[in-house]
Amino acid sequence: MSRPAIIISELDAVRIDKLLEKPEYATLPVAQALNTELDRATLLSPQAMPHNVVSMQSEVEFRDLNSGERYVRKLVYPSQMTDSSTQLSVLAPVGAALLGLEVGSTIQWTLPGGSETHLEVLGLRYQPEAAGDFHL
C-alpha cells in the first residue's frame, strides 16, 4: 500500500526518536510504524514547515472515512495526555498516522489487531510553526 508523502519538523523527529528509545515505548506495536514514518519523512526545520502540515502540538480536524465521524484533537506526546476527548497521543495509532500529513491528504493505517482505518485531514485549527511557536 502506498502512503502519502509526509513532512516532519526536525525538532519533532528528534523528540520522537528519543521517545521511541525509552523501554516503555520501544516495544509498543505503534513504535515500529512510527519509526518507519520517520525514516520516510522529509525533514524540515520548524521555520521551514509548510503551514498546512500536521506537526506535534497541532490541533487537527480529521475524518474517519470508514465511519464518517469527524474529530478535532491536539497531537501531543504521551506525557502531555490529560484528556482523550481533546488530545491524541503520537503513540496512538491514529496519532502516528496523522503526523506529517498535509491538509487534504488521506492515509490507510493498520490498527492493533490488524483492522484498517482510513483517515482524511480536513484542516488545522492551530499549528505551532504557523503561529511562530517554533520550540513547542
Side-chain angles (χ1 to χ4, degrees), residues 8-89:
I8 299 176
S9 94
E10 294 163 342
L11 180 60
D12 289 349
V14 166
R15 289 176 175 170
I16 293 168
D17 271 339
K18 287 182 182 176
L19 185 68
L20 295 176
E21 290 173 1
K22 294 182 177 186
E24 64 267 32
Y25 301 125
T27 59
L28 293 176
V30 73
Q32 182 177 352
L34 197 48
N35 266 320
T36 300
E37 291 297 275
L38 289 175
D39 288 344
R40 75 180 191 86
T42 298
L43 299 181
L44 296 177
S45 72
Q47 293 81 359
M49 283 291 288
H51 294 174
N52 66 337
V53 172
V54 178
S55 61
M56 293 303 301
Q57 309 303 328
S58 290
E59 188 174 356
V60 58
E61 182 178 357
F62 64 97
R63 176 175 37 219
D64 178 328
L65 293 173
N66 295 335
S67 69
E69 290 188 56
R70 295 170 92 107
Y71 302 91
V72 176
R73 298 287 186 278
K74 181 178 180 182
L75 187 62
V76 299
Y77 296 98
S79 64
Q80 298 171 314
M81 275 294 296
T82 58
D83 182 359
S84 63
S85 70
T86 62
Q87 296 173 313
L88 181 61
S89 171

